[in-house]
Amino acid sequence: MPLIPEEAIPYFENMIYLPMVLTILEKDRTIFEKAPFKLKRPYIVLVEEAGKQVQKELKQTHMYMKRHSMKVLRGEGDDMFTEYVFFHGGYEEHRRYLNVRLRNRVEELLSIYLAVIEKLH
């Protein structure tokens, strides 16, 4: 039986994935600014708005984790796996994530955030 409640896992995973999404959006923004597009502004605005949405969710996740005494740390990693250590209620759980899974999930989240922003405009 896992010692960390199942409902806490999405918050831990947000703390893994959302910073990665932000990093990618920041790098993409820089690329759009330097790229030889005729009309850069729509791309930059799209990426900036998606970044704001990610930051908002990350802030909510931080607050939830602080209220519930939760913490996540990155552990060991290699070419195939990255380990994360979840702390909750005095318990510690080590989870290993396939790097391919991490990349795929970040790509999926990136698509979701960009689609949501596109629908808002």
Side-chain angles (χ1 to χ4, degrees):
M1 182 177 112
L3 301 172
I4 294 179
E6 198 62 36
E7 64 270 6
I9 300 302
Y11 294 98
F12 284 115
E13 290 186 343
N14 273 352
M15 291 304 295
I16 295 170
Y17 296 125
L18 294 182
M20 291 180 190
V21 172
L22 269 179
T23 299
I24 290 167
L25 288 170
E26 289 168 7
K27 286 181 181 179
D28 288 352
R29 182 178 183 269
T30 303
I31 290 169
F32 283 129
E33 287 174 346
K34 293 178 182 176
F37 294 115
K38 285 198 182 257
L39 300 171
K40 298 177 186 187
R41 193 77 194 132
Y43 301 106
I44 293 171
V45 168
L46 184 66
V47 170
E48 286 175 345
E49 291 300 318
K52 288 177 187 175
Q53 189 63 35
V54 173
Q55 287 174 336
K56 181 180 172 184
E57 284 195 35
L58 191 57
K59 183 178 179 181
Q60 292 170 347
T61 301
H62 272 291
M63 292 185 325
Y64 179 91
M65 291 186 70
K66 188 170 186 162
R67 274 195 310 269
H68 292 87
S69 302
M70 297 164 56
K71 186 177 178 181
V72 62
L73 295 175
R74 185 172 184 201
E76 298 290 317
D78 59 29
D79 290 342
M80 292 289 292
F81 293 95
T82 302
E83 179 184 64
Y84 290 91
V85 185
F86 297 168
F87 299 92
H88 185 298
Y91 295 105
E92 171 182 324
E93 184 176 318
H94 295 252
R95 288 184 170 220
R96 291 172 42 118
Y97 289 83
L98 266 169
N99 291 336
V100 171
R101 176 184 174 204
L102 291 170
R103 186 195 70 226
N104 290 343
R105 180 63 180 150
V106 168
E107 186 174 341
E108 179 184 330
L109 287 170
L110 191 56
S111 296
I112 290 168
Y113 284 109
L114 290 172
V116 165
I117 297 305
E118 183 61 29
K119 286 181 184 175
L120 291 176
H121 287 256

